[in-house]
Amino acid sequence: MTTNGQTQQFDKTAFKAAVEKHLTTTYANTPTTATSRSWYLAMGRALAEITTGNLLETEQQLAEEKVRSVNYLSLEFLIGRLTGNNLISMGLYEDVADAMKEMGHSLTDLLEEERDPALGNGGLGRLAACFMDSLAAQEYPAVGYGLHYEYGLFRQSFVDGRQVEAPDAWRGLEGYPWEVVRPELNQTVNLYGHVEAYKDENGNACRRWVPGMTVEGVAWDLPIVGYDNKSVYPLRLWECRSPAPFSLSRFNDGDYVGAQYSALEAGNVTKVLYPNDNHDQGKALRLMQQYFHCACSIADILRRHIGAGNKIEDLAKLETIQLNDTHPTIAIPELMRILLDEYKLGWDAAWTISSKTFAYTNHTLLPEALETWSEALIAQMLPRHMEIIFEINHRFMKLVEQTWPGNNEVKRKLSIIEEGSQRMVRMANLCVVGTYAVNGVAALHSELVKRDLFPEFDELFPGRLTNVTNGVTPRRWIKYCNPGLSALISEKVGNDWPNKLEKITGLEKFAEDKAFQKRYMAVKKENKQRLADWVKENMDIEIDTNAIFDIQIKRLHEYKRQHLNLLHILSLYHRLLNDPSFDMQPRVFFFGSKAAPGYALAKDIIFAINKVAEKVNSDSRLGGKLKVVFIPDYRVSLAEILFPAADVSEQISTAGKEASGTGNMKFALNGALTIGTMDGANVEMREEVGDENIFIFGLLVDEVQKLKEEGYDPYRYYHADSLLRAALDLLETDEFTPGKPGQLATIRHNLLDGGDPYLVLADFADYVKTHEKIDVEYRNQENWARKAILNTALMSKFSSDRSIRDYANNIWKLKPVNR
Ligand code: GL2
């Protein structure tokens, strides 16, 4: 299918034999009795044999050539199913489909057997996965470091409209076929204990950590397969185990539970992914996860560096470490500890290496997401690290004093330590002080990082704060998930666009071409049908593919304003029933979203949408004009069906709150038109597609700030706008919860009496008006097709390949190494 080197090596007979071998020896099945799942597993293992070989060869080559590489540290990698995507990258999709067909199986069906490795919450984790894909596609030497959670993000179901969470054992009983355990890479991690002073052989005063507990880090590698090349990089996930999982003496004494106690304790560290998105809970176990992740990863980076015969002094020349948000910040004092206490470097030498090795990406301005840890907690769990953090801060405060002599206010603001009833460590401040580059994730966001979050840091360290606009991988988010569109694109611009997305601009000249418009819209229709079929089969809801498919899929959060979308739906419901002159194009509103289990209002919003959906979908008075579908358990594999099927993409956060968004890019690439605020990457998308091909509404960042300063009164909007009033008041009635009025009232209450912190009511009228415009524009299908084609054609900036090139050229100074 591609010119991939691996394609030529594909030996169908040998591959089929390998699948059968795994079916029988690895999964204890016979070809006649095996289930689809066993066939999928056996196929996965046979493929993983190929990628593991390439991974080891890539590792060896990079070590021998002593090339500079990036280490991407992230607590989350939301990779999604690997099999289909890897087949595409390996150039083996059709060959393997053929081989499996000869064995009596449809590849598409087998791919459905894979569970999503949901090792992330949302955008931040998915970005890390796109970045690994782009690093490998462009052969920038890289290792991804994450955690091997036993349970990924919870599975969501709805019981009477309410979210219910269940554990997600993503590996299944049989294990995940793509992963390979690497026992030779195991690490020992220390915790607790105390610090002691001692004199070294030369009589110098030294300090060392005497730990109170040790656990073991087990490395699992997942292959990140380069598209159309032979490089395979590891995504290395650490699992925490006890070094002494079982005490035979305690067991023999009859203490059966106590005998396993240390194993139970250690196993907890990587048991479960914290289900919070854009929110810091400050739990001790989470700090332990973070340190465990960093300690294993830093030790592994040093093992590679030193093992390849390099000097510790050359670390920053050969390795750079990107911190994905503040979650792995503790890696900074960890590297310092190793350089000071183990390599015995002086402070300045150690600091030079460390601060030239780390770079940090900021992903949010939301105060509730900016991590702080209590000094007491760090001092107890990581006593030596707390000392080092104090020393970093002490030296940093001297610099602040030199720059702003006698200014205690600025010291208080910039200090890594926040004073108060309990002292807290501000991880973002530690990151800015301890790294050589800090980037935001979209132009607007990076400006706000400089202007509002870190203005003094920008003055103190000119040039350190910068921007890298996010992107998404065109392999998964067009080629794999939208084969119809992919074929059409290839026909017009050639087939190398998946790793050269600039080529897609070539579609622009077909935007007016009537025949092309028809074919483009026919593909859209097929994708809408695929989604409609899924909905019919899984939710038993009938939907018409002639309706506008209007989709909002993302984590549930007040700032993302799913409740603004809901109020618009309620306004349509009200008008359809009460205003005989009102007419609209049939519309289906889709939602897909998980709420953090402890986020009560987010869960109430899910409940409300589900209750409205129940009523609306069976209300014959609406004449089929309005449907609402809340897809349960939204995840990457469902996103792959939803993005290609969308006509309208909802990107409606309060301006200044969504750092970037990446779903916005996936929708537009797949030809959906955005309704959005001037927030995050929407701003740059508008620049690319032009104002006439995107529907922008709402307050701007500065208007939001001004309105808040002036004193925002939600009741003003409530009293002034009868449609808004009707929509809000519906939430008080029992219209959607027969016999139980008030069940949806918390949302109304939050908006009116709770002060409407995200200005939903202020943006409502413009939002409704902009939707009316969409309604009109959609009626002219040629006009709509042109706009949709232009959205696909003009999105090339938002390839994660471009993002990674920006990081490589402007921050990491990294060169590709071809295999
Ligand atoms: C996020 C931002 O909210 C989101 O706008 C951005 O696209 C991603 C990736 O940069 O990062 N920040 C954050 O904490 N989470 C995000 O998704 N969880």
Side-chain angles (χ1 to χ4, degrees):
M1 100 191 279
T2 68
T3 53
N4 188 300
Q6 292 163 35
T7 315
Q8 285 134 42
Q9 289 161 18
F10 187 72
D11 175 342
K12 199 184 342 174
T13 314
F15 179 74
K16 284 164 66 180
V19 173
E20 265 200 39
K21 184 197 79 183
H22 282 297
L23 193 72
T24 52
T25 60
T26 313
Y27 297 108
N29 261 301
T30 65
T32 43
T33 59
T35 59
S36 279
R37 178 155 172 88
S38 301
W39 280 102
Y40 142 72
L41 289 166
M43 175 182 76
R45 292 265 3 129
L47 289 167
E49 275 175 6
I50 305 174
T51 55
T52 305
N54 281 338
L55 184 145
L56 294 174
E57 284 172 22
T58 311
E59 259 182 2
Q60 195 183 344
Q61 181 192 342
L62 296 177
E64 280 166 7
E65 292 183 12
K66 294 189 188 295
V67 292
R68 180 168 167 81
S69 39
V70 61
N71 301 276
Y72 200 82
L73 265 60
S74 178
L75 271 282
E76 303 188 13
F77 285 92
L78 186 45
I79 50 179
R81 292 168 169 171
L82 286 189
T83 313
N85 203 65
N86 284 355
L87 281 173
I88 284 186
S89 290
M90 294 161 86
L92 294 181
Y93 198 95
E94 270 119 41
D95 289 313
V96 167
D98 203 33
M100 297 316 294
K101 197 167 161 207
E102 287 181 15
M103 300 176 93
H105 296 277
S106 131
L107 177 60
T108 341
D109 291 349
L110 294 183
L111 294 180
E112 284 303 310
E113 295 291 337
E114 180 169 349
R115 295 191 185 140
D116 284 41
L119 308 182
N121 275 290
L124 175 144
R126 182 55 232 175
L127 185 79
C130 283
F131 279 3
M132 289 310 297
D133 186 82
S134 284
L135 284 160
Q138 298 173 102
E139 300 190 287
Y140 286 108
V143 181
Y145 286 106
L147 286 181
H148 190 268
Y149 299 107
E150 189 177 337
Y151 297 98
L153 185 61
F154 65 86
R155 290 192 185 193
Q156 176 195 55
S157 59
F158 299 132
V159 175
D160 188 28
R162 293 204 184 272
Q163 170 175 297
V164 173
E165 301 101 25
D168 166 54
W170 62 281
R171 302 172 67 240
L173 261 184
E174 312 90 344
Y176 189 54
W178 286 99
E179 67 182 1
V180 49
V181 68
R182 307 278 303 266
E184 75 283 7
L185 306 184
N186 281 12
Q187 295 293 345
T188 300
V189 176
N190 297 325
L191 292 160
Y192 302 108
H194 64 277
V195 179
E196 69 181 18
Y198 71 101
K199 290 241 159 68
D200 69 8
E201 55 277 18
N202 303 318
N204 299 318
C206 300
R207 299 189 62 76
R208 69 179 158 218
W209 180 15
V210 184
M213 175 183 172
T214 62
V215 293
E216 197 167 75
V218 177
W220 293 87
D221 278 3
L222 288 170
I224 305 295
V225 181
Y227 178 81
D228 202 17
N229 64 50
K230 287 186 183 161
S231 289
V232 176
Y233 299 146
L235 171 55
R236 189 155 293 156
L237 304 179
W238 300 103
E239 180 195 350
C240 188
R241 290 200 192 157
S242 164
F246 192 77
S247 162
L248 196 59
S249 62
R250 284 175 84 170
F251 187 84
N252 287 339
D253 289 344
D255 180 7
Y256 304 116
V257 175
Q260 300 175 66
Y261 195 74
S262 63
L264 292 175
E265 208 173 42
N268 274 336
V269 175
T270 49
K271 179 76 68 190
V272 59
L273 167 78
Y274 273 87
N276 299 313
D277 183 82
N278 264 301
H279 192 88
D280 164 38
Q281 250 190 321
K283 291 272 193 279
L285 186 64
R286 167 77 173 176
L287 177 64
M288 206 182 281
Q289 284 190 338
Q290 294 184 348
Y291 177 65
F292 172 77
H293 169 241
C294 291
C296 292
S297 308
I298 296 290
D300 193 59
I301 293 165
L302 291 174
R303 173 195 62 78
R304 282 178 14 233
H305 180 75
I306 301 294
N310 302 303
K311 293 202 301 251
I312 191 70
E313 286 77 10
D314 290 335
L315 185 69
K317 284 199 196 98
L318 287 169
E319 302 290 341
T320 186
I321 303 176
Q322 189 67 34
L323 304 175
N324 196 28
D325 215 293
T326 54
H327 314 151
T329 307
I330 200 76
I332 297 174
E334 171 67 359
L335 179 61
M336 283 298 286
R337 181 191 68 78
I338 295 171
L339 297 176
L340 296 167
D341 298 359
E342 294 178 13
Y343 285 91
K344 308 282 183 203
L345 298 184
W347 182 275
D348 290 340
W351 185 247
T352 304
I353 295 173
S354 174
S355 57
K356 286 188 174 159
T357 300
F358 289 106
Y360 151 62
T361 306
N362 172 285
H363 292 270
T364 183
L365 300 168
L366 298 184
E368 65 269 31
L370 295 178
E371 288 185 300
T372 60
W373 292 105
S374 93
E375 178 212 328
L377 178 63
I378 299 185
Q380 183 199 20
M381 194 182 292
L382 305 165
R384 181 65 180 129
H385 298 76
M386 196 59 237
E387 285 188 357
I388 291 170
I389 293 169
F390 274 130
E391 184 61 25
I392 295 173
N393 196 44
H394 174 67
R395 288 164 184 257
F396 172 58
M397 285 293 107
K398 280 204 216 157
L399 177 68
V400 176
E401 171 60 26
Q402 278 166 23
T403 317
W404 291 281
N407 188 338
N408 287 333
E409 180 52 27
V410 77
K411 267 193 215 130
R412 196 187 51 74
K413 198 171 163 203
L414 299 196
S415 175
I416 294 167
I417 311 293
E418 182 183 61
E419 300 292 337
S421 57
Q422 63 164 331
R423 289 206 290 200
M424 304 293 285
V425 180
R426 296 166 167 151
M427 301 315 253
N429 294 35
L430 178 50
C431 276
V432 182
V433 174
T435 61
Y436 67 91
V438 175
N439 74 285
V441 289
L444 173 69
H445 168 66
S446 299
E447 269 317 300
L448 297 176
V449 167
K450 277 198 210 168
R451 196 189 78 181
D452 298 347
L453 189 63
F454 298 139
E456 297 85 1
F457 282 115
D458 192 34
E459 232 182 298
L460 203 52
F461 306 122
R464 188 172 296 182
L465 271 54
T466 150
N467 174 248
V468 179
T469 297
N470 283 344
V472 302
T473 168
R475 272 78 63 187
R476 184 177 292 268
W477 296 114
I478 310 181
K479 188 169 166 81
Y480 175 60
C481 75
N482 199 341
L485 180 58
S486 298
L488 214 48
I489 299 171
S490 294
E491 185 190 307
K492 294 296 181 196
V493 308
N495 50 20
D496 56 354
W497 58 269
N499 55 359
K500 293 184 184 61
L501 200 63
E502 320 77 70
K503 294 277 173 80
I504 212 172
T505 320
L507 283 186
E508 200 178 349
K509 61 172 179 283
F510 300 101
E512 306 277 352
D513 177 331
K514 301 277 176 286
F516 186 73
Q517 288 179 350
K518 281 224 165 67
R519 293 176 64 203
Y520 186 95
M521 292 310 273
V523 167
K524 180 61 79 182
K525 197 65 173 275
E526 274 168 29
N527 292 332
K528 287 167 82 169
Q529 191 60 53
R530 175 166 64 142
L531 175 58
D533 293 345
W534 188 95
V535 169
K536 175 71 191 145
E537 190 177 325
N538 293 277
M539 303 176 71
D540 200 24
I541 300 174
E542 207 82 56
I543 45 182
D544 177 3
T545 55
N546 290 314
I548 301 175
F549 279 20
D550 181 315
I551 310 190
Q552 187 172 21
I553 39 178
K554 49 183 81 246
R555 282 300 289 262
L556 217 136
H557 209 296
E558 285 165 272
Y559 85 79
K560 296 180 189 282
R561 302 199 293 191
Q562 280 92 351
H563 47 346
L564 174 58
N565 192 339
L566 174 63
L567 286 179
H568 173 236
I569 294 170
L570 291 175
S571 77
L572 295 174
Y573 176 80
H574 173 80
R575 289 168 92 172
L576 284 169
L577 295 184
N578 296 288
D579 179 357
S581 69
F582 178 73
D583 193 22
M584 63 181 273
Q585 274 296 110
R587 253 209 232 208
V588 187
F589 290 91
F590 294 88
F591 293 85
S593 189
K594 292 182 183 179
Y599 190 171
L601 184 60
K603 292 176 125 177
D604 287 346
I605 294 172
I606 291 181
F607 177 65
I609 296 171
N610 274 328
K611 284 291 153 188
V612 170
E614 261 173 40
K615 175 81 183 20
V616 161
N617 294 344
S618 59
D619 192 333
S620 57
R621 296 173 303 168
L622 300 171
K625 298 248 156 160
L626 191 58
K627 292 263 161 108
V628 180
V629 178
F630 204 132
I631 308 269
D633 204 32
Y634 175 58
R635 56 192 184 274
V636 173
S637 58
L638 289 178
E640 289 160 1
I641 303 175
L642 284 152
F643 285 118
D647 296 307
V648 175
S649 152
E650 298 273 351
Q651 308 301 333
I652 60 177
S653 50
T654 318
K657 300 295 178 192
E658 187 72 273
S660 162
T662 46
N664 44 4
M665 303 165 185
K666 293 166 200 164
F667 274 119
L669 269 170
N670 285 282
L673 270 56
T674 306
I675 177 165
T677 47
M678 285 293 270
D679 199 16
N682 297 352
V683 175
E684 288 157 87
M685 286 171 53
R686 173 171 173 262
E687 272 169 26
E688 295 300 305
V689 301
D691 204 28
E692 56 300 349
N693 298 313
I694 187 168
F695 298 94
I696 296 291
F697 76 98
L699 296 170
L700 308 177
V701 172
D702 290 344
E703 292 168 343
V704 166
Q705 284 175 1
K706 188 155 162 270
L707 187 55
K708 290 215 154 186
E709 277 158 24
E710 287 169 2
Y712 170 62
D713 175 16
Y715 271 105
R716 219 186 84 203
Y717 299 87
Y718 177 77
H719 292 305
D721 182 342
S722 61
L723 189 60
L724 172 60
R725 206 159 54 238
L728 278 167
D729 288 350
L730 272 170
L731 293 170
E732 290 260 278
T733 66
D734 74 344
E735 185 91 4
F736 307 105
T737 52
K740 294 175 183 157
Q743 274 205 319
L744 312 182
T746 49
I747 300 168
R748 182 179 183 280
H749 180 74
N750 169 272
L751 294 174
L752 287 173
D753 306 312
D756 184 13
Y758 297 95
L759 307 187
V760 172
L761 305 198
D763 276 345
F764 175 81
D766 199 13
Y767 181 56
V768 168
K769 210 170 79 203
T770 309
H771 267 305
E772 284 167 0
K773 223 162 104 190
I774 288 177
D775 191 275
V776 173
E777 298 246 15
Y778 190 81
R779 287 164 201 247
N780 179 346
Q781 278 290 289
E782 283 179 6
N783 162 57
W784 190 270
R786 179 172 45 79
K787 288 174 191 279
I789 294 166
L790 286 174
N791 267 268
T792 301
L794 299 172
M795 274 299 117
S796 71
K797 173 175 176 185
F798 303 101
S799 166
S800 47
D801 293 351
R802 190 272 313 143
S803 307
I804 286 299
R805 285 196 300 274
D806 285 355
Y807 278 101
N809 296 332
N810 305 334
I811 298 181
W812 302 331
K813 311 291 179 202
L814 203 59
K815 298 254 171 317
V817 177
N818 299 327
R819 286 203 63 223

